[in-house]
Amino acid sequence: MTASITQLAIYLVVLLLLSVPLGWYIARAMEGKSAVNRLFGGMEHFLYRLSGIRTDAEMGWKQYALAMLLFNIVGMFVVYALQRLQLWLPLNPAGMANVSADSSFNTAVSFVTNTNWQGYVGESTMSYLTQMLALAVQNFFSAATGIAVAFALIRGFVRHSSKSIGNFWVDMTRSSLYVLLPLSVLVAVVLMSQGVIQNFKSYVEVSTLETTVYSVPRLDPQGQPLKDEKGNPLVDEMKTSKQTLPMGPVASQEAIKMVGTNGGGFFNANSAHPYENPTPLSNFVQMLAILIIPAALCTSFGMLAGDRRQGWAILAAMTLLFIVMTVTVMYFEQQPNPALAAAHAAQGNGISGMMEGKETRFGIIASSLFAAITTAASCGAVNAMHDSLSPLGGLVPMLQMQLGEVVFGGVGAGLYGMLIFAVLAVFIAGLMIGRTPEYLGKKIGVFDMKMMSIAILMTPALVLVMTAISVMVENGLAGIANPGAHGFSEILYAFSSAANNNGSAFAGLSANTPYYNVMTGIAMWLGRFGIIVPVLAMAGSLAGKKRLAATSGTLPTHGPLFVTLLIGAVILVGALTYVPALALGPVIEHLQMLAIH
């Protein structure tokens, strides 16, 4: 474990050091006060004039929410239309067919909600135009939406006796133009230097040195695998001496995929594909890009709140939760496989640990760290097969999503999610001492608590109800490729990922069916906007309140006690809600694995 702790420590040191100046810059850029704003202010104002936006017209929370919803609904229809028409559109050298209606719906919702759940194989489904104009554009816009909502909530805490929480169009423009775009360009250049491809070439067919023998599952007319009377899948043996190498503008997609905590891969193998993630350095850069903005926004929050310690407290809670989760998954992935030990089989290449589903160029440690990072954020990018993680190793990514994607979380979404839990923490503390809860000088009232409750309980309700339905109906059970506890885990992971807008998967579940495309699409939409609207409502309520002076009875929200309360609130609501479901899945599977001895 020494090597694991060393890699984790190096990663966190670099991340936290870079997040401080970036957070300072983001705060100033979003408020229009940075040098970059002055340098490119002409371009910004030209965009406003072109679209008829009045920058001096701020919005109340209802107007802000309506603008946000309309913008994302229009984006969803555009993404849907581009998929349905891609066969007749340009930049389609491989002649990709139009995407089916249910898959197009799922993908449109997925990318608009910053989930980037992919039920399709990217290199054989999406044209270059669809990848760029539909998916990559939404990678920017969905991330910008998260940042905009986070700053709207910050203004709710900072402003007093105000009827407005900002201007959605200005927030979207500044977060895209001054934050996401420059960072994406920087990351894309670094990735190209490591060998990530960036071109518009047609796919290349090459002859292999050896004939490859592989098995193809037999499918029924509905696309589901056929099985024999014993339940074993039926397969046909195939041979080939040819291989098709996919091409495309990958580096540009990869950069915003990570910087925006989107996670949708250009290729089906995502960041395990050598064209997306070829070297250990590109792997480290991608891991850094995932959490850099979520960590930096904590600094931005502290600056705008007038007390940097407030941001540090939020960041400390996130970091402590992340360390515990990461060390746990690293530990279990490095344990020997009991099944191999019982069969007296040597672990591959002398490696003691779970190497199944992992790339040898990254190994167990970097793969485990990546899995923890991508599910701590609402990213969902993967450089290993999460379905092949050990039972308790796989529990960690699942649990991190179920905590509400607040262990750093997505771009903007992690911060406003953790601030919701901060409100819960001061409410619990207020109950203990018999005081009305306050946070940052704002009294937390009945309306605020109702909005907080909706925001916190929305995703657990979606995950647990939809998982329960799916294990009871034939269409849900048909997608399970693995029987027993692991099959249940695959469904639970799928809805945990969808409702929490992560996008990673236990890919043993055949989710590209009309049933799962519709169900996960609903979960993604409600899991995103069913939380954002209450958050904006709370922001509007808080902005209209007067700021109270701190007294001797005010709970300090910047010290170790508050950090402990905040972590406790996250675990109390997030973890305990899912204990019965986790016991039916990963816990039982772990006990079954140990029983092999």
Side-chain angles (χ1 to χ4, degrees):
M1 284 293 292
T2 303
S4 301
I5 300 300
T6 301
Q7 283 201 29
L8 175 60
I10 291 172
Y11 175 80
L12 284 175
V13 167
V14 175
L15 174 71
L16 297 177
L17 286 176
L18 291 178
S19 68
V20 174
L22 180 60
W24 174 85
Y25 164 75
I26 292 175
R28 292 184 63 82
M30 290 297 292
E31 294 301 301
K33 299 177 180 179
S34 72
V36 179
N37 291 83
R38 293 190 293 272
L39 183 62
F40 294 99
M43 180 189 301
E44 181 183 350
H45 289 291
F46 170 76
L47 293 174
Y48 295 148
R49 288 196 302 271
L50 187 66
S51 52
I53 295 172
R54 289 182 52 196
T55 58
D56 60 335
E58 292 212 335
M59 301 175 174
W61 79 263
K62 293 180 181 178
Q63 189 180 1
Y64 199 103
L66 181 61
M68 180 273 302
L69 286 172
L70 288 175
F71 179 79
N72 283 280
I73 289 172
V74 170
M76 183 181 71
F77 279 109
V78 170
V79 176
Y80 179 85
L82 286 170
Q83 293 176 87
R84 297 290 286 154
L85 301 173
Q86 72 174 8
L87 177 62
W88 305 297
L89 296 175
L91 289 175
N92 187 7
M96 300 295 184
N98 296 328
V99 184
S100 67
D102 58 287
S103 181
S104 295
F105 163 76
N106 183 275
T107 303
V109 174
S110 177
F111 279 78
V112 165
T113 59
N114 199 244
T115 309
N116 303 85
W117 171 273
Q118 295 177 288
Y120 58 88
V121 177
E123 59 266 46
S124 61
T125 305
M126 300 296 182
S127 69
Y128 294 166
L129 183 72
T130 304
Q131 293 270 19
M132 293 188 299
L133 191 57
L135 308 187
V137 167
Q138 285 304 319
N139 282 347
F140 279 96
F141 287 161
S142 63
T145 298
I147 295 175
V149 173
F151 273 84
L153 182 58
I154 292 173
R155 294 187 193 108
F157 285 113
V158 173
R159 296 181 178 182
H160 55 87
S161 302
S162 174
K163 295 181 179 180
S164 65
I165 56 173
N167 185 307
F168 174 74
W169 308 114
V170 173
D171 289 341
M172 285 290 293
T173 302
R174 288 176 177 171
S175 56
S176 300
L177 192 61
Y178 302 135
V179 180
L180 297 171
L181 186 59
L183 278 175
S184 297
V185 170
L186 177 62
V187 172
V189 170
V190 174
L191 292 180
M192 283 189 288
S193 74
Q194 294 302 297
V196 178
I197 64 172
Q198 179 74 12
N199 60 56
F200 290 101
K201 295 179 180 177
S202 299
Y203 287 13
V204 178
E205 187 175 82
V206 297
S207 298
T208 57
L209 296 177
E210 297 180 350
T211 299
T212 302
V213 180
Y214 61 98
S215 297
V216 176
R218 296 183 188 177
L219 304 177
D220 63 18
Q222 287 73 41
Q224 296 302 309
L226 293 172
K227 299 179 181 180
D228 60 20
E229 62 277 2
K230 296 182 179 179
N232 298 316
L234 298 175
V235 298
D236 293 318
E237 189 175 277
M238 308 290 287
K239 296 181 180 180
T240 183
S241 58
K242 300 286 185 180
Q243 181 179 357
T244 300
L245 302 181
M247 297 284 112
V250 178
S252 58
Q253 317 290 83
E254 191 73 11
I256 185 58
K257 154 190 166 181
M258 298 303 187
V259 169
T261 61
N262 293 286
F266 194 96
F267 304 113
N268 188 45
N270 208 280
S271 286
H273 198 292
Y275 285 177
E276 282 198 37
N277 190 12
T279 68
L281 179 57
S282 69
N283 192 63
F284 185 83
V285 169
Q286 290 186 21
M287 291 191 296
L288 196 62
I290 292 172
L291 293 187
I292 188 67
I293 294 181
L297 286 175
C298 296
T299 299
S300 303
F301 168 64
M303 285 184 59
L304 295 176
D307 184 356
R308 295 194 179 191
R309 295 175 299 174
Q310 301 292 340
W312 294 341
I314 298 294
L315 183 60
M318 292 177 172
T319 304
L320 289 173
L321 284 167
F322 174 72
I323 290 173
V324 172
M325 294 292 184
T326 305
V327 170
T328 302
V329 69
M330 285 179 165
Y331 171 79
F332 283 109
E333 289 309 296
Q334 292 182 74
Q335 300 308 300
N337 189 320
L340 293 177
H344 305 290
Q347 306 281 332
N349 298 321
I351 299 173
S352 178
M354 306 286 185
M355 269 302 293
E356 180 190 330
K358 298 180 177 64
E359 288 293 309
T360 54
R361 67 182 185 277
F362 302 136
I364 292 175
I365 297 175
S367 299
S368 301
L369 180 58
F370 199 110
I373 290 168
T374 195
T375 49
S378 62
C379 184
V382 295
N383 75 346
M385 177 62 75
H386 285 195
D387 200 37
S388 294
L389 295 173
S390 63
L392 295 187
L395 181 147
V396 170
M398 195 185 307
L399 180 59
Q400 286 199 124
M401 295 184 295
Q402 292 166 348
L403 290 177
E405 290 283 20
V406 296
V407 186
F408 289 104
V411 169
L415 178 61
Y416 66 68
M418 189 58 99
L419 289 176
I420 293 297
F421 276 105
V423 171
L424 175 62
V426 297
F427 174 73
I428 294 172
L431 290 177
M432 292 179 179
I433 61 176
R435 281 181 57 92
T436 302
E438 299 173 16
Y439 187 59
L440 298 182
K442 296 296 181 72
K443 185 175 291 186
I444 308 301
V446 175
F447 178 80
D448 307 314
M449 292 307 302
K450 289 178 179 178
M451 295 302 102
M452 179 212 69
S453 300
I454 294 172
I456 288 178
L457 298 177
M458 176 64 70
T459 51
L462 289 170
V463 173
L464 295 176
V465 170
M466 289 189 168
T467 298
I469 293 172
S470 297
V471 298
M472 292 189 297
V473 300
E474 183 179 349
N475 288 335
L477 294 173
I480 298 177
N482 300 284
H486 191 75
F488 175 80
S489 295
E490 289 174 345
I491 294 178
L492 179 62
Y493 193 106
F495 286 108
S496 298
S497 177
N500 288 284
N501 303 129
N502 182 270
S504 64
F506 273 8
L509 181 71
S510 300
N512 190 18
T513 63
Y515 173 80
Y516 278 111
N517 280 333
V518 172
M519 289 290 282
T520 55
I522 294 171
M524 288 184 284
W525 185 266
L526 294 178
R528 176 73 161 180
F529 300 109
I531 292 175
I532 285 180
V533 172
V535 167
L536 291 175
M538 182 185 292
S541 171
L542 294 171
K545 297 180 180 181
K546 295 180 180 179
R547 192 175 183 87
L548 305 176
T551 66
S552 58
T554 302
L555 173 69
T557 54
H558 53 68
L561 176 60
F562 177 72
V563 172
T564 303
L565 280 172
L566 181 54
I567 293 174
V570 172
I571 294 175
L572 179 68
V573 175
L576 295 183
T577 302
Y578 292 97
V579 165
L582 293 172
L584 292 173
V587 175
I588 286 181
E589 188 183 357
H590 177 72
L591 296 175
Q592 290 174 334
M593 183 180 71
L594 294 180
I596 294 175
H597 285 297

